[in-house]
Amino acid sequence: MSWPAELASLPLLQEHVETLAQQSGLGPKRLIQLSIALEEVVMNIINHAYAPAETGKISIGFEDQGDQVFISISDTGVAFNPLGMAAPDVKSNLMDRPIGGLGVMMVKKFMDKVAYERCNNENTLHLTFNKTE
């Protein structure tokens, strides 16, 4: 399913994925983790994947496979592998830290597996999420 890459789409696609996740049996804590990870990935696409005048899209795939769910989040914006970013320095003084990287860190922490691919001018982030911790 696809949505325009704009802020107004965020609650719609979150509701879509959360409904599917609930139907798949994810508990409240896992749903919150999934929602946070989804928001981080989608906001990065909305804010950085497309030029301001460009109308882009975000596509989300959801697959329930027993004890795991697989979510793919795709866009046709500029090539960007978020997994290639350096880990943020979370030990230095907050005021001295550069902006960025915390969202990717949270996605990696909450998901059980994260993979990126660029194929046919499309970025896809593959998230694997165990239903239980």
Side-chain angles (χ1 to χ4, degrees), residues 17 19-26 61-72 127-131:
V17 171
T19 298
L20 292 173
Q22 285 175 329
Q23 292 171 351
S24 295
L26 265 70
F62 187 97
E63 190 175 333
D64 181 350
Q65 296 249 337
D67 294 337
Q68 296 179 312
V69 295
F70 300 93
I71 300 167
S72 61
L127 309 175
T128 302
F129 197 63
N130 294 330
K131 291 181 180 177

PDB file of all heavy atoms in Angstrom, residues 17 19-26 61-72 127-131:
ATOM      1  N   VAL A  17      -0.517   0.001   9.661  1.00  0.00           N
ATOM      2  CA  VAL A  17       0.450  -0.991  10.146  1.00  0.00           C
ATOM      3  C   VAL A  17       0.071  -1.482  11.543  1.00  0.00           C
ATOM      4  O   VAL A  17       0.153  -2.681  11.832  1.00  0.00           O
ATOM      5  CB  VAL A  17       1.882  -0.408  10.131  1.00  0.00           C
ATOM      6  CG1 VAL A  17       2.860  -1.344  10.829  1.00  0.00           C
ATOM      7  CG2 VAL A  17       2.327  -0.146   8.700  1.00  0.00           C
ATOM      8  N   THR A  19      -2.878  -1.714  12.868  1.00  0.00           N
ATOM      9  CA  THR A  19      -4.027  -2.622  12.754  1.00  0.00           C
ATOM     10  C   THR A  19      -3.559  -4.012  12.326  1.00  0.00           C
ATOM     11  O   THR A  19      -3.955  -5.025  12.913  1.00  0.00           O
ATOM     12  CB  THR A  19      -5.060  -2.063  11.754  1.00  0.00           C
ATOM     13  OG1 THR A  19      -5.538  -0.813  12.254  1.00  0.00           O
ATOM     14  CG2 THR A  19      -6.222  -3.016  11.562  1.00  0.00           C
ATOM     15  N   LEU A  20      -2.695  -4.056  11.332  1.00  0.00           N
ATOM     16  CA  LEU A  20      -2.169  -5.349  10.880  1.00  0.00           C
ATOM     17  C   LEU A  20      -1.361  -6.026  11.983  1.00  0.00           C
ATOM     18  O   LEU A  20      -1.444  -7.243  12.175  1.00  0.00           O
ATOM     19  CB  LEU A  20      -1.305  -5.148   9.630  1.00  0.00           C
ATOM     20  CG  LEU A  20      -2.048  -4.706   8.370  1.00  0.00           C
ATOM     21  CD1 LEU A  20      -1.054  -4.368   7.259  1.00  0.00           C
ATOM     22  CD2 LEU A  20      -3.024  -5.764   7.908  1.00  0.00           C
ATOM     23  N   ALA A  21      -0.580  -5.222  12.715  1.00  0.00           N
ATOM     24  CA  ALA A  21       0.244  -5.776  13.792  1.00  0.00           C
ATOM     25  C   ALA A  21      -0.631  -6.332  14.917  1.00  0.00           C
ATOM     26  O   ALA A  21      -0.341  -7.400  15.468  1.00  0.00           O
ATOM     27  CB  ALA A  21       1.193  -4.711  14.321  1.00  0.00           C
ATOM     28  N   GLN A  22      -1.688  -5.628  15.257  1.00  0.00           N
ATOM     29  CA  GLN A  22      -2.607  -6.131  16.281  1.00  0.00           C
ATOM     30  C   GLN A  22      -3.269  -7.428  15.819  1.00  0.00           C
ATOM     31  O   GLN A  22      -3.401  -8.373  16.587  1.00  0.00           O
ATOM     32  CB  GLN A  22      -3.675  -5.088  16.606  1.00  0.00           C
ATOM     33  CG  GLN A  22      -3.151  -3.948  17.442  1.00  0.00           C
ATOM     34  CD  GLN A  22      -4.197  -2.866  17.659  1.00  0.00           C
ATOM     35  OE1 GLN A  22      -5.064  -2.639  16.819  1.00  0.00           O
ATOM     36  NE2 GLN A  22      -4.099  -2.198  18.798  1.00  0.00           N
ATOM     37  N   GLN A  23      -3.662  -7.474  14.578  1.00  0.00           N
ATOM     38  CA  GLN A  23      -4.274  -8.693  14.031  1.00  0.00           C
ATOM     39  C   GLN A  23      -3.283  -9.856  14.020  1.00  0.00           C
ATOM     40  O   GLN A  23      -3.673 -11.016  14.069  1.00  0.00           O
ATOM     41  CB  GLN A  23      -4.798  -8.435  12.616  1.00  0.00           C
ATOM     42  CG  GLN A  23      -5.979  -7.501  12.570  1.00  0.00           C
ATOM     43  CD  GLN A  23      -6.355  -7.066  11.152  1.00  0.00           C
ATOM     44  OE1 GLN A  23      -5.637  -7.323  10.187  1.00  0.00           O
ATOM     45  NE2 GLN A  23      -7.487  -6.380  11.035  1.00  0.00           N
ATOM     46  N   SER A  24      -1.981  -9.518  13.986  1.00  0.00           N
ATOM     47  CA  SER A  24      -0.941 -10.548  13.995  1.00  0.00           C
ATOM     48  C   SER A  24      -0.605 -11.015  15.404  1.00  0.00           C
ATOM     49  O   SER A  24       0.202 -11.927  15.577  1.00  0.00           O
ATOM     50  CB  SER A  24       0.336 -10.015  13.330  1.00  0.00           C
ATOM     51  OG  SER A  24       0.095  -9.772  11.973  1.00  0.00           O
ATOM     52  N   GLY A  25      -1.173 -10.349  16.399  1.00  0.00           N
ATOM     53  CA  GLY A  25      -0.971 -10.789  17.777  1.00  0.00           C
ATOM     54  C   GLY A  25       0.121 -10.074  18.545  1.00  0.00           C
ATOM     55  O   GLY A  25       0.533 -10.554  19.609  1.00  0.00           O
ATOM     56  N   LEU A  26       0.623  -8.955  18.049  1.00  0.00           N
ATOM     57  CA  LEU A  26       1.633  -8.214  18.814  1.00  0.00           C
ATOM     58  C   LEU A  26       1.006  -7.624  20.072  1.00  0.00           C
ATOM     59  O   LEU A  26      -0.095  -7.086  20.027  1.00  0.00           O
ATOM     60  CB  LEU A  26       2.229  -7.072  17.973  1.00  0.00           C
ATOM     61  CG  LEU A  26       3.523  -7.397  17.240  1.00  0.00           C
ATOM     62  CD1 LEU A  26       3.271  -8.368  16.123  1.00  0.00           C
ATOM     63  CD2 LEU A  26       4.164  -6.141  16.737  1.00  0.00           C
ATOM     64  N   GLY A  61       4.924  -2.610   3.055  1.00  0.00           N
ATOM     65  CA  GLY A  61       4.489  -3.994   2.953  1.00  0.00           C
ATOM     66  C   GLY A  61       4.483  -4.616   4.340  1.00  0.00           C
ATOM     67  O   GLY A  61       5.308  -4.267   5.185  1.00  0.00           O
ATOM     68  N   PHE A  62       3.561  -5.506   4.581  1.00  0.00           N
ATOM     69  CA  PHE A  62       3.441  -6.152   5.894  1.00  0.00           C
ATOM     70  C   PHE A  62       3.149  -7.622   5.668  1.00  0.00           C
ATOM     71  O   PHE A  62       2.262  -7.972   4.904  1.00  0.00           O
ATOM     72  CB  PHE A  62       2.303  -5.514   6.692  1.00  0.00           C
ATOM     73  CG  PHE A  62       2.212  -6.003   8.122  1.00  0.00           C
ATOM     74  CD1 PHE A  62       2.784  -5.280   9.147  1.00  0.00           C
ATOM     75  CD2 PHE A  62       1.552  -7.186   8.432  1.00  0.00           C
ATOM     76  CE1 PHE A  62       2.694  -5.714  10.454  1.00  0.00           C
ATOM     77  CE2 PHE A  62       1.468  -7.641   9.742  1.00  0.00           C
ATOM     78  CZ  PHE A  62       2.042  -6.891  10.756  1.00  0.00           C
ATOM     79  N   GLU A  63       3.925  -8.464   6.345  1.00  0.00           N
ATOM     80  CA  GLU A  63       3.730  -9.900   6.183  1.00  0.00           C
ATOM     81  C   GLU A  63       3.838 -10.575   7.545  1.00  0.00           C
ATOM     82  O   GLU A  63       4.810 -10.372   8.264  1.00  0.00           O
ATOM     83  CB  GLU A  63       4.809 -10.441   5.230  1.00  0.00           C
ATOM     84  CG  GLU A  63       4.597 -11.839   4.783  1.00  0.00           C
ATOM     85  CD  GLU A  63       5.641 -12.244   3.743  1.00  0.00           C
ATOM     86  OE1 GLU A  63       6.162 -11.386   3.026  1.00  0.00           O
ATOM     87  OE2 GLU A  63       5.921 -13.448   3.686  1.00  0.00           O
ATOM     88  N   ASP A  64       2.852 -11.352   7.876  1.00  0.00           N
ATOM     89  CA  ASP A  64       2.835 -12.119   9.124  1.00  0.00           C
ATOM     90  C   ASP A  64       3.332 -13.518   8.822  1.00  0.00           C
ATOM     91  O   ASP A  64       2.765 -14.204   7.978  1.00  0.00           O
ATOM     92  CB  ASP A  64       1.396 -12.153   9.658  1.00  0.00           C
ATOM     93  CG  ASP A  64       1.280 -12.901  10.974  1.00  0.00           C
ATOM     94  OD1 ASP A  64       2.240 -13.556  11.408  1.00  0.00           O
ATOM     95  OD2 ASP A  64       0.192 -12.841  11.578  1.00  0.00           O
ATOM     96  N   GLN A  65       4.417 -13.912   9.519  1.00  0.00           N
ATOM     97  CA  GLN A  65       4.985 -15.242   9.277  1.00  0.00           C
ATOM     98  C   GLN A  65       5.187 -15.957  10.608  1.00  0.00           C
ATOM     99  O   GLN A  65       6.307 -16.075  11.096  1.00  0.00           O
ATOM    100  CB  GLN A  65       6.320 -15.126   8.550  1.00  0.00           C
ATOM    101  CG  GLN A  65       6.229 -14.549   7.181  1.00  0.00           C
ATOM    102  CD  GLN A  65       6.536 -15.570   6.109  1.00  0.00           C
ATOM    103  OE1 GLN A  65       7.192 -16.567   6.349  1.00  0.00           O
ATOM    104  NE2 GLN A  65       6.044 -15.327   4.919  1.00  0.00           N
ATOM    105  N   GLY A  66       4.117 -16.387  11.222  1.00  0.00           N
ATOM    106  CA  GLY A  66       4.224 -17.142  12.467  1.00  0.00           C
ATOM    107  C   GLY A  66       4.659 -16.287  13.633  1.00  0.00           C
ATOM    108  O   GLY A  66       3.907 -15.431  14.087  1.00  0.00           O
ATOM    109  N   ASP A  67       5.896 -16.492  14.094  1.00  0.00           N
ATOM    110  CA  ASP A  67       6.398 -15.760  15.258  1.00  0.00           C
ATOM    111  C   ASP A  67       6.977 -14.401  14.912  1.00  0.00           C
ATOM    112  O   ASP A  67       7.416 -13.671  15.800  1.00  0.00           O
ATOM    113  CB  ASP A  67       7.491 -16.580  15.959  1.00  0.00           C
ATOM    114  CG  ASP A  67       6.936 -17.860  16.562  1.00  0.00           C
ATOM    115  OD1 ASP A  67       5.717 -17.916  16.822  1.00  0.00           O
ATOM    116  OD2 ASP A  67       7.730 -18.798  16.770  1.00  0.00           O
ATOM    117  N   GLN A  68       7.021 -14.065  13.635  1.00  0.00           N
ATOM    118  CA  GLN A  68       7.626 -12.793  13.215  1.00  0.00           C
ATOM    119  C   GLN A  68       6.709 -12.052  12.238  1.00  0.00           C
ATOM    120  O   GLN A  68       5.883 -12.663  11.566  1.00  0.00           O
ATOM    121  CB  GLN A  68       8.965 -13.029  12.505  1.00  0.00           C
ATOM    122  CG  GLN A  68      10.033 -13.632  13.380  1.00  0.00           C
ATOM    123  CD  GLN A  68      11.312 -13.843  12.602  1.00  0.00           C
ATOM    124  OE1 GLN A  68      11.305 -14.377  11.496  1.00  0.00           O
ATOM    125  NE2 GLN A  68      12.418 -13.415  13.192  1.00  0.00           N
ATOM    126  N   VAL A  69       6.912 -10.741  12.201  1.00  0.00           N
ATOM    127  CA  VAL A  69       6.312  -9.941  11.139  1.00  0.00           C
ATOM    128  C   VAL A  69       7.451  -9.304  10.345  1.00  0.00           C
ATOM    129  O   VAL A  69       8.510  -8.994  10.894  1.00  0.00           O
ATOM    130  CB  VAL A  69       5.325  -8.869  11.660  1.00  0.00           C
ATOM    131  CG1 VAL A  69       4.120  -9.517  12.308  1.00  0.00           C
ATOM    132  CG2 VAL A  69       5.988  -7.914  12.613  1.00  0.00           C
ATOM    133  N   PHE A  70       7.210  -9.141   9.070  1.00  0.00           N
ATOM    134  CA  PHE A  70       8.179  -8.521   8.168  1.00  0.00           C
ATOM    135  C   PHE A  70       7.523  -7.280   7.581  1.00  0.00           C
ATOM    136  O   PHE A  70       6.433  -7.362   7.019  1.00  0.00           O
ATOM    137  CB  PHE A  70       8.584  -9.486   7.053  1.00  0.00           C
ATOM    138  CG  PHE A  70       9.209 -10.747   7.564  1.00  0.00           C
ATOM    139  CD1 PHE A  70       8.440 -11.872   7.804  1.00  0.00           C
ATOM    140  CD2 PHE A  70      10.567 -10.793   7.833  1.00  0.00           C
ATOM    141  CE1 PHE A  70       9.003 -13.040   8.295  1.00  0.00           C
ATOM    142  CE2 PHE A  70      11.146 -11.957   8.327  1.00  0.00           C
ATOM    143  CZ  PHE A  70      10.367 -13.080   8.558  1.00  0.00           C
ATOM    144  N   ILE A  71       8.215  -6.182   7.726  1.00  0.00           N
ATOM    145  CA  ILE A  71       7.695  -4.916   7.225  1.00  0.00           C
ATOM    146  C   ILE A  71       8.724  -4.347   6.262  1.00  0.00           C
ATOM    147  O   ILE A  71       9.921  -4.285   6.586  1.00  0.00           O
ATOM    148  CB  ILE A  71       7.441  -3.929   8.383  1.00  0.00           C
ATOM    149  CG1 ILE A  71       6.409  -4.535   9.346  1.00  0.00           C
ATOM    150  CG2 ILE A  71       6.961  -2.578   7.859  1.00  0.00           C
ATOM    151  CD1 ILE A  71       6.309  -3.817  10.660  1.00  0.00           C
ATOM    152  N   SER A  72       8.270  -3.940   5.101  1.00  0.00           N
ATOM    153  CA  SER A  72       9.159  -3.260   4.154  1.00  0.00           C
ATOM    154  C   SER A  72       8.635  -1.837   3.960  1.00  0.00           C
ATOM    155  O   SER A  72       7.438  -1.627   3.820  1.00  0.00           O
ATOM    156  CB  SER A  72       9.223  -4.003   2.827  1.00  0.00           C
ATOM    157  OG  SER A  72       7.954  -4.069   2.231  1.00  0.00           O
ATOM    158  N   LEU A 127      12.340  -4.584   7.792  1.00  0.00           N
ATOM    159  CA  LEU A 127      12.327  -4.725   9.243  1.00  0.00           C
ATOM    160  C   LEU A 127      11.754  -6.087   9.609  1.00  0.00           C
ATOM    161  O   LEU A 127      10.668  -6.444   9.157  1.00  0.00           O
ATOM    162  CB  LEU A 127      11.469  -3.633   9.887  1.00  0.00           C
ATOM    163  CG  LEU A 127      11.758  -2.186   9.470  1.00  0.00           C
ATOM    164  CD1 LEU A 127      10.739  -1.253  10.102  1.00  0.00           C
ATOM    165  CD2 LEU A 127      13.168  -1.800   9.857  1.00  0.00           C
ATOM    166  N   THR A 128      12.476  -6.807  10.422  1.00  0.00           N
ATOM    167  CA  THR A 128      11.990  -8.082  10.939  1.00  0.00           C
ATOM    168  C   THR A 128      11.754  -7.904  12.430  1.00  0.00           C
ATOM    169  O   THR A 128      12.612  -7.403  13.148  1.00  0.00           O
ATOM    170  CB  THR A 128      13.019  -9.209  10.708  1.00  0.00           C
ATOM    171  OG1 THR A 128      13.292  -9.300   9.314  1.00  0.00           O
ATOM    172  CG2 THR A 128      12.483 -10.540  11.223  1.00  0.00           C
ATOM    173  N   PHE A 129      10.588  -8.320  12.861  1.00  0.00           N
ATOM    174  CA  PHE A 129      10.162  -8.036  14.220  1.00  0.00           C
ATOM    175  C   PHE A 129       9.567  -9.300  14.826  1.00  0.00           C
ATOM    176  O   PHE A 129       8.570  -9.830  14.322  1.00  0.00           O
ATOM    177  CB  PHE A 129       9.107  -6.917  14.138  1.00  0.00           C
ATOM    178  CG  PHE A 129       8.812  -6.201  15.404  1.00  0.00           C
ATOM    179  CD1 PHE A 129       9.772  -5.465  16.068  1.00  0.00           C
ATOM    180  CD2 PHE A 129       7.540  -6.234  15.933  1.00  0.00           C
ATOM    181  CE1 PHE A 129       9.485  -4.780  17.224  1.00  0.00           C
ATOM    182  CE2 PHE A 129       7.237  -5.541  17.093  1.00  0.00           C
ATOM    183  CZ  PHE A 129       8.217  -4.817  17.743  1.00  0.00           C
ATOM    184  N   ASN A 130      10.190  -9.817  15.895  1.00  0.00           N
ATOM    185  CA  ASN A 130       9.621 -10.964  16.596  1.00  0.00           C
ATOM    186  C   ASN A 130       8.389 -10.504  17.364  1.00  0.00           C
ATOM    187  O   ASN A 130       8.385  -9.437  17.955  1.00  0.00           O
ATOM    188  CB  ASN A 130      10.637 -11.566  17.565  1.00  0.00           C
ATOM    189  CG  ASN A 130      11.824 -12.169  16.847  1.00  0.00           C
ATOM    190  OD1 ASN A 130      11.704 -12.638  15.720  1.00  0.00           O
ATOM    191  ND2 ASN A 130      12.969 -12.134  17.488  1.00  0.00           N
ATOM    192  N   LYS A 131       7.367 -11.340  17.368  1.00  0.00           N
ATOM    193  CA  LYS A 131       6.134 -10.952  18.053  1.00  0.00           C
ATOM    194  C   LYS A 131       6.318 -10.872  19.563  1.00  0.00           C
ATOM    195  O   LYS A 131       5.644 -10.119  20.235  1.00  0.00           O
ATOM    196  CB  LYS A 131       5.009 -11.920  17.705  1.00  0.00           C
ATOM    197  CG  LYS A 131       4.568 -11.808  16.261  1.00  0.00           C
ATOM    198  CD  LYS A 131       3.443 -12.773  15.966  1.00  0.00           C
ATOM    199  CE  LYS A 131       3.016 -12.655  14.518  1.00  0.00           C
ATOM    200  NZ  LYS A 131       1.976 -13.632  14.181  1.00  0.00           N
TER     201      LYS A 131
END
